[in-house]
């Protein structure tokens, strides 16, 4: 009887120490993943700001160029072509708009705005946790 009572206090600190160890490891894992995410987010944010600024500047200059050239061409060709010049410009601008849209899609598909390393690490963590739950305790 005394032997069981002597072992009981030893089991409690071991359990608490184990839980504390798991909590420390989990917290360390969380901190490392947050650091990785913050690093990649800073890189993505920098690329995103560059893209936004370039696109905004390009849009402003393109609108001025398009407006002035369109007015000039319409004025010069109105007497000979009439309303057909407006149809031609509408078709040209539609094709250009589709081209710009497809180019923007290709930039996004390159994955420069994604956080590949963070997502791979989170998937790896999930897979390890899920395999640990299904297969029982891992050593």
């Amino acid at each position: 009887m005394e032997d069981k009572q002597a072992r009981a206090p030893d089991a409690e600190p071991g359990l608490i120490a184990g839980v504390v160890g798991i909590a420390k490891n989990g917290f360390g894992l969380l901190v490392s993943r947050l650091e990785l995410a913050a690093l990649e987010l800073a890189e993505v944010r920098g690329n995103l700001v560059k893209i936004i600024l370039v696109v905004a500047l390009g849009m402003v200059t393109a609108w001025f160029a398009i407006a002035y050239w369109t007015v000039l061409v319409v004025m010069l060709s109105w007497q000979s072509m009439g309303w057909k010049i407006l149809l031609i410009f509408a078709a040209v601008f539609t094709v250009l708009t589709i081209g710009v849209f497809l180019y923007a899609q290709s930039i996004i598909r390159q994955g420069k705005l994604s956080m590949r390393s963070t997502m791979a690490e989170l998937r790896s963590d999930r897979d390890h946790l899920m395999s640990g739950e299904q297969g029982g305790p891992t050593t």
Side-chain angles (χ1 to χ4, degrees), residues 42-136:
E43 183 179 330
V44 168
R45 185 180 60 204
N47 288 336
L48 185 62
V49 168
K50 285 179 188 177
I51 288 173
I52 289 172
L53 288 175
V54 168
V55 167
L57 183 62
M59 286 175 57
V60 170
T61 58
W63 277 112
F64 277 108
I66 289 170
Y68 284 115
W69 282 109
T70 302
V71 169
L72 177 66
V73 172
V74 168
M75 284 180 54
L76 293 175
S77 62
W78 186 262
Q79 288 181 3
S80 63
M81 296 182 75
W83 63 271
K84 295 173 193 160
I85 189 68
L86 297 176
L87 179 65
I88 292 170
F89 272 113
V92 168
F93 289 138
T94 300
V95 169
L96 287 174
T97 301
I98 291 170
V100 168
F101 177 74
L102 292 175
Y103 178 69
Q105 263 187 334
S106 72
I107 290 174
I108 292 171
R109 285 185 182 155
Q110 289 176 357
K112 291 190 176 191
L113 299 179
S114 66
M115 299 187 308
R116 292 181 185 159
S117 297
T118 301
M119 296 308 293
E121 289 296 326
L122 290 174
R123 277 189 218 101
S124 173
D125 292 345
R126 181 196 64 207
D127 292 342
H128 286 294
L129 290 173
M130 295 303 286
S131 67
E133 288 179 5
Q134 294 172 356

Side-chain angles (χ1 to χ4, degrees), residues 6-57:
R7 289 185 191 171
D10 291 339
E12 290 178 23
L15 178 63
I16 293 172
V19 171
V20 169
I22 290 173
K24 283 182 183 179
N25 288 339
F27 183 71
L29 181 67
L30 178 68
V31 168
S32 68
R33 296 305 183 247
L34 286 175
E35 288 172 350
L36 179 62
L39 181 64
E40 284 190 340
L41 192 58
E43 183 179 330
V44 168
R45 185 180 60 204
N47 288 336
L48 185 62
V49 168
K50 285 179 188 177
I51 288 173
I52 289 172
L53 288 175
V54 168
V55 167
L57 183 62

